[in-house]
Amino acid sequence: MSQALISVRNLVAKYGERTILNDISVDIMPGEVTVILGGSGCGKTTLLKNILRLQEPFSGSVKFWGDEVLQMDEPSFSGILKRVGMLFQNGALLNSISVYENISIPLELHTKLPEEIRDRIIRVKLSLVRLAEAIYKYPSELSGGMKKRAALARALALDPEILFCDEPSAGLDPLTSAALDELILDLRKQLKMTIVIVTHELASIHRIADRIIFLDGGKMLFNGTLEAALKAGIPEIDTFFRVGRF
Amino acid sequence: MRWEYRGNTLILGGGLTYRTIPAAYHSVFQSLKRHKPSEIDLGEVETIDSAGVAFLDEIHTRLASKGILLFKGARPEVQAVIDTFSSIKLPVPIPQRSMGWFEKLGDDALNAGQNIYQCLLLASEIYYFSLVGLISRKGQRKGSFVQQAVLLGSQALPIVALLSFIIGFILSLQSAVQLKNFGANVFIADLLAVTMVREMGPMMTAIIVAGRSGSAIASEIATMQVTEEIDALRMMALNPIRYVVVPKFHAISLVMPLLVAFSILVGEIGGGLIAIGYLDVSLPTFVQRSIEITTLKDLVVSFGKSTVFAWTIVIIGSFFGFQVKGGAEGVGKATTASVVASIFAVIVLDAIFSLLYL
Ligand SMILES: Nc1ncnc2c1ncn2[C@@H]1O[C@H](COP(=O)(O)OP(=O)(O)OP(=O)(O)O)[C@@H](O)[C@H]1O
Ligand SMILES: [Mg+2]
């Protein structure tokens, strides 16, 4: 078995006194698309944020490429962050600059690429998320789904080795959503990107998931392939897939 | 990344990635000018990412015009990446044209005209609904008037008190030295009363209120606007002006004259200390002269203009709040603009009042 890219052990996350995640242990395998599932408010976003140290976990350990990150100092951890892309649930584009500049920022600040190359990369990334026409627009001029896609283009700017997406297809029409799934599969296949996605779209899960992690009540109920999940006979998971089927 | 020429062929090899491109970029393009290859062999390229593809596209675009250029021999997995990330077929977007200065001048003038018109329109609505609101409390929450009065008024007391005290004190100190030279000590009372009542009280208070409450009003309304709260109010069939602005308008109309009266009083105390302590004026004389010199007209004008200042601050604050453009970053801009505009308006209005009622 190959080495896990990210391994999370006994992670406990709290907001004040309230425990949101209780003793979560997960391995993210290289080159796989891992889908995190669970009801609204069960702690999926919290899990991503704790793994990426955007919130300090209460206890537990998180390793990226075998290195423990929770005690790591700022410079070494930012070295890791450069290899990771994150699409936030609400996009989190910088509002005061255009879409073009939003994507340009990581390229300008983390690489020495000349401008004409950066320009090409920006245009390609935007056309991959089907947003070429919004290139010079400002975030406030975009629809919800467009913001999401612009943010995805920004997350992809540096061809990250690991991509985290918090509900990439929420608010998108089925066609655009299917195109994004295609893109995710392309990225996995061609750049060997490791992808962790939070999504509720059953169609999407069937298309892209290599592995499923199901959260419920702060616990991890299941971790394995989609087929195994459907056969496992866990009532919560069965309900989730039965009710959602159309 | 490796590169070499064999005859008419440029052979690229190794990794074409974010990490390797920047170092090799300029020397490769220099050599292209000299060698003018007709083919590029990608057979030895092992890894490529979107920076590598952009690099190949750049070579293609620059050289394609000078003759047919062929990329050949890429491994299938490299070719797949090239196909995904190629920018050659993408349309080049036209950057937005920026305005010339003359056009900008005209545009600014038009905008300024529009803004003043819109602001007056808003002012008329606010006055209308404030009058209506006096009679009927419909569309306003219970307790919002009191809440606003506390927020805009009583919480401003400490800072108004402190600044007025200092102003009164300094003003008297500066004049005291001069008055003493002429032995005109007792006139300190007249001087202080006139300046505090006519100018300093209303003006200082208005500037503090503009900075404190004007900015709060603008940022509150602007935030509500960008987070769609204003739209939500409309959808609940509530008039945003009635719901948000009118309670503030009523509260500030009541609170402002009180603040000004307070400011004048505290300023007199600050000045009184100098008069009694430094100029040896007795307390009864100081009080008596202060009251005698202050006419009813002075008081009416003073409180009248402070009410006008208060209204101006609310109107300008709400105007910039409702006008906010863009997302969250617009809120900061709206707030700053409203403070600058309302302090400007207060000073100009004050000048007009001074000219009218000297
Ligand atoms: N900043 C916060 N302060 C306190 N509690 C929070 C905070 N953010 C989230 N929570 C709580 O943590 C729990 C998990 O939130 P989280 O955002 O991780 O849910 P989620 O699984 O991503 O839900 P969704 O699918 O709706 O995005 C929720 O019950 C929420 O009430
Ligand atoms: Mg979430």
Side-chain angles (χ1 to χ4, degrees), chain A residues 44-45 89 166-167:
Chain A
K44 303 179 295 296
T45 303
Q89 188 160 12
D166 200 346
E167 303 196 16

PDB file of all heavy atoms in Angstrom, chain A residues 44-45 89 166-167, ligand 2:
ATOM      1  N   LYS A  44     -18.091  19.307   8.034  1.00  0.00           N
ATOM      2  CA  LYS A  44     -17.204  19.039   6.893  1.00  0.00           C
ATOM      3  C   LYS A  44     -16.230  20.192   6.678  1.00  0.00           C
ATOM      4  O   LYS A  44     -15.018  19.987   6.557  1.00  0.00           O
ATOM      5  CB  LYS A  44     -18.047  18.815   5.619  1.00  0.00           C
ATOM      6  CG  LYS A  44     -19.053  17.696   5.765  1.00  0.00           C
ATOM      7  CD  LYS A  44     -19.894  17.505   4.535  1.00  0.00           C
ATOM      8  CE  LYS A  44     -20.803  18.672   4.220  1.00  0.00           C
ATOM      9  NZ  LYS A  44     -21.835  18.943   5.230  1.00  0.00           N
ATOM     10  N   THR A  45     -16.778  21.411   6.620  1.00  0.00           N
ATOM     11  CA  THR A  45     -15.918  22.577   6.462  1.00  0.00           C
ATOM     12  C   THR A  45     -14.935  22.659   7.626  1.00  0.00           C
ATOM     13  O   THR A  45     -13.741  22.950   7.442  1.00  0.00           O
ATOM     14  CB  THR A  45     -16.772  23.856   6.403  1.00  0.00           C
ATOM     15  OG1 THR A  45     -17.707  23.721   5.336  1.00  0.00           O
ATOM     16  CG2 THR A  45     -15.927  25.079   6.180  1.00  0.00           C
ATOM     17  N   GLN A  89     -15.940  27.569   0.702  1.00  0.00           N
ATOM     18  CA  GLN A  89     -17.367  27.355   0.449  1.00  0.00           C
ATOM     19  C   GLN A  89     -18.020  28.594  -0.175  1.00  0.00           C
ATOM     20  O   GLN A  89     -18.863  28.462  -1.046  1.00  0.00           O
ATOM     21  CB  GLN A  89     -18.074  26.982   1.754  1.00  0.00           C
ATOM     22  CG  GLN A  89     -19.509  26.545   1.557  1.00  0.00           C
ATOM     23  CD  GLN A  89     -20.030  25.721   2.737  1.00  0.00           C
ATOM     24  OE1 GLN A  89     -19.415  25.646   3.779  1.00  0.00           O
ATOM     25  NE2 GLN A  89     -21.173  25.112   2.548  1.00  0.00           N
ATOM     26  N   ASP A 166     -14.520  22.956  -1.221  1.00  0.00           N
ATOM     27  CA  ASP A 166     -15.694  22.906  -0.362  1.00  0.00           C
ATOM     28  C   ASP A 166     -16.916  23.227  -1.210  1.00  0.00           C
ATOM     29  O   ASP A 166     -17.170  24.375  -1.540  1.00  0.00           O
ATOM     30  CB  ASP A 166     -15.531  23.895   0.792  1.00  0.00           C
ATOM     31  CG  ASP A 166     -16.446  23.565   1.956  1.00  0.00           C
ATOM     32  OD1 ASP A 166     -17.367  22.751   1.763  1.00  0.00           O
ATOM     33  OD2 ASP A 166     -16.218  24.108   3.053  1.00  0.00           O
ATOM     34  N   GLU A 167     -17.664  22.197  -1.548  1.00  0.00           N
ATOM     35  CA  GLU A 167     -18.876  22.311  -2.372  1.00  0.00           C
ATOM     36  C   GLU A 167     -18.656  23.103  -3.650  1.00  0.00           C
ATOM     37  O   GLU A 167     -19.247  24.165  -3.840  1.00  0.00           O
ATOM     38  CB  GLU A 167     -20.013  22.936  -1.557  1.00  0.00           C
ATOM     39  CG  GLU A 167     -20.276  22.119  -0.314  1.00  0.00           C
ATOM     40  CD  GLU A 167     -21.615  22.437   0.343  1.00  0.00           C
ATOM     41  OE1 GLU A 167     -22.457  23.060  -0.328  1.00  0.00           O
ATOM     42  OE2 GLU A 167     -21.805  22.049   1.487  1.00  0.00           O
TER      43      GLU A 167
HETATM   44 MG    MG C   2     -19.556  23.698   4.888  1.00  0.00          MG
END
